[in-house]
């Protein structure tokens, strides 16, 4: 018991290698312990070692077919690898067998992510009846209300969050997103300024504030927020995409090329950044290696590539 508590403490602290060693020591003495198998799987899920994680989760499930954490984590694993249906199946099994609160939340999350708004609204209403104090469920419900056309109901939930001081990072960000959609930029900016003051490395908040600054034609501040976000996550697609678009709009083509090159060299979303690079090179009259860029562009030309600008095809 002492070893397990020590391992759990290390796990919570993010010392995954140390925690895993102790879990394996315990497993050597008790090879069919479903909880230890589940915890080893969880560490590998956190490390994005999905095949190993699945192996240990399935071993855990084999020993305890109703283990709620194992079923929930198998749902999360399949969500991570893009297996939407299988993910939902595990969450639903866990809800049916264990009424596991996190699986209610996670199914609601995945319906939100895949924009299953009508289904998500009904499911999340049911979830809130079961768990009326769960802030994550209530936050999701506010988003589903808005997406299904119930704007007042959505804003009422966030007004309740304001009054009861229930807000957390995701609820703030979702609220800001709704305020942006209804063009209430001043309130959205006030929330983002407060959020970034307490968490200056929050990627989503920096991108949202950059978007508002851009809409307000304050392009310098929009650029500064994206540069700050890129300092934290250099090769993030959304950060670089937004920054490249700002530079192109400002006709700062050389700056745009710098960030396109960084992403292309790392083979990240080349179908987006290569056409942008070609466009900038033509605007600047830079013909060095342009033929090679065009050949790569043509090789990747297909009807499923929604990043392409039709004008570039004409060029």
């Amino acid at each position: 018991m002492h070893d397990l508590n020590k391992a759990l403490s290390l796990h919570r602290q993010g010392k995954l290698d140390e925690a895993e060693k102790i879990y394996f020591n315990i497993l050597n003495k008790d090879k069919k312990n479903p909880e230890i198998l589940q915890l080893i799987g969880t560490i590998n899920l956190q490390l994005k070692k999905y095949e190993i994680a699945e192996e240990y989760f399935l071993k855990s499930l084999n020993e305890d077919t109703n283990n709620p954490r194992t079923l929930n984590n198998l749902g999360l694993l399949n969500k991570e690898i893009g297996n939407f249906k299988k993910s939902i199946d595990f969450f639903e099994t866990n809800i049916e067998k264990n009424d596991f609160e996190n699986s209610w939340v996670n199914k609601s999350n995945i319906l939100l992510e895949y924009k299953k708004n009508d289904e998500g609204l009904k499911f999340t209403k049911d979830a809130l009846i079961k768990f009326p104090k769960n802030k994550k469920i209530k936050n999701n419900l506010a988003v589903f209300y808005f997406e299904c056309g119930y704007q007042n109901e959505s804003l009422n939930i966030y007004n309740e969050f304001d009054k009861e001081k229930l807000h957390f990072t995701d609820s703030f960000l979702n609220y800001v997103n709704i305020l942006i959609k209804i063009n209430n930029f001043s309130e959205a900016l006030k929330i983002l300024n407060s959020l970034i003051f307490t968490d200056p490395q929050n990627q989503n908040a920096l991108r949202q504030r950059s978007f508002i600054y851009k809409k307000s034609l304050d392009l310098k501040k929009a650029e500064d927020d994206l540069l700050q976000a890129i300092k934290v996550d250099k090769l993030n697609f959304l950060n670089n995409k937004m920054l490249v678009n700002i530079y192109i709009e400002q006709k700062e083509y050389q700056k745009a090329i710098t960030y396109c090159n960084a992403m292309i060299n790392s083979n990240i979303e080349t179908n987006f950044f290569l056409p942008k690079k070609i466009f900038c090179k033509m605007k600047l009259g830079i013909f060095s290696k342009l033929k090679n860029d065009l050949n790569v562009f043509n090789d990747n030309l297909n009807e499923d590539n929604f990043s392409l600008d039709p004008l570039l095809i004409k060029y």
Side-chain angles (χ1 to χ4, degrees), residues 213 217-225 227 250:
Y213 284 144
L217 301 180
D218 195 338
L219 296 180
K220 182 65 175 69
K221 285 184 178 178
E223 176 191 2
D224 288 344
D225 273 348
L227 289 172
Q250 292 180 288

Side-chain angles (χ1 to χ4, degrees), residues 58-313:
L58 292 176
K59 285 180 179 178
S60 172
L61 203 61
N62 190 52
E63 300 303 324
D64 180 3
T65 56
N66 295 328
N67 189 303
R69 289 181 179 81
T70 304
L71 287 166
N72 189 64
N73 283 339
L74 277 164
L76 292 173
L77 185 150
N78 280 281
K79 177 177 178 287
E80 286 288 310
I81 62 177
N83 195 333
F84 166 78
K85 185 179 183 308
K86 206 169 179 182
S87 175
I88 289 284
D89 285 345
F90 278 116
F91 293 140
E92 288 179 344
T93 299
N94 205 17
I95 289 167
E96 183 183 340
K97 289 185 173 183
N98 302 302
D99 207 18
F100 193 64
E101 185 171 356
N102 282 349
S103 285
W104 281 91
V105 174
N106 289 326
K107 181 180 174 182
S108 177
N109 287 342
I110 203 170
L111 291 171
L112 195 63
E113 184 176 331
Y114 283 86
K115 301 187 185 304
K116 304 284 185 181
N117 295 322
D118 292 332
E119 181 184 351
L121 179 61
K122 181 180 183 307
F123 175 81
T124 307
K125 278 183 176 179
D126 291 341
L128 194 62
I129 291 169
K130 285 188 135 326
F131 307 103
K133 294 185 178 179
N134 189 301
K135 295 189 294 183
K136 293 179 181 178
I137 292 173
K138 194 171 286 191
N139 175 44
N140 283 359
L141 182 60
V143 179
F144 282 125
Y145 268 136
F146 185 82
E147 294 300 329
C148 290
Y150 302 102
Q151 181 175 313
N152 289 337
E153 287 83 349
S154 174
L155 293 175
N156 286 341
I157 289 175
Y158 288 124
N159 287 335
E160 179 192 339
F161 272 45
D162 286 336
K163 290 176 185 175
E164 302 294 328
K165 300 190 185 305
L166 298 175
H167 270 298
F168 55 104
T169 299
D170 283 348
S171 71
F172 273 131
L173 292 171
N174 286 338
Y175 186 27
V176 164
N177 192 44
I178 287 170
L179 290 170
I180 289 172
K181 287 179 178 179
I182 62 176
N183 295 318
N184 190 344
F185 291 155
S186 59
E187 186 63 26
L189 197 57
K190 191 189 303 180
I191 294 168
L192 288 170
N193 287 339
S194 175
L195 191 55
I196 292 168
F197 180 77
T198 56
D199 183 9
Q201 296 188 340
N202 189 301
Q203 300 279 290
N204 287 321
L206 288 165
R207 281 194 294 268
Q208 284 182 320
R209 192 169 72 174
S210 174
F211 177 81
I212 291 173
Y213 284 144
K214 184 182 174 187
K215 281 284 188 182
S216 306
L217 301 180
D218 195 338
L219 296 180
K220 182 65 175 69
K221 285 184 178 178
E223 176 191 2
D224 288 344
D225 273 348
L226 292 172
L227 289 172
Q228 178 60 33
I230 286 171
K231 278 184 185 177
V232 179
D233 190 354
K234 185 177 179 182
L235 297 177
N236 180 283
F237 168 60
L238 289 175
N239 295 342
N240 283 275
K241 174 187 176 182
M242 290 175 70
L243 186 60
V244 164
N245 283 337
I246 283 177
Y247 284 145
I248 289 174
E249 288 177 27
Q250 292 180 288
K251 300 184 179 181
E252 295 190 65
Y253 301 119
Q254 192 58 61
K255 285 184 178 180
I257 288 172
T258 299
Y259 288 91
C260 287
N261 281 338
M263 300 299 280
I264 292 165
N265 292 340
S266 298
N267 197 30
I268 299 173
E269 298 291 342
T270 302
N271 284 339
F272 175 83
F273 290 103
L274 182 58
K276 297 291 186 185
K277 177 185 175 182
I278 291 170
F279 175 80
C280 292
K281 287 178 76 170
M282 287 191 291
K283 283 289 187 180
L284 293 171
I286 299 173
F287 301 108
S288 171
K289 298 182 180 178
L290 183 59
K291 185 176 181 181
N292 179 66
D293 291 336
L294 287 167
N295 285 338
V296 175
F297 171 81
N298 285 328
D299 288 343
N300 288 282
L301 200 59
N302 65 72
E303 63 185 14
D304 296 324
N305 186 351
F306 297 111
S307 300
L308 298 180
D309 182 341
L311 188 58
L312 281 165
I313 298 173

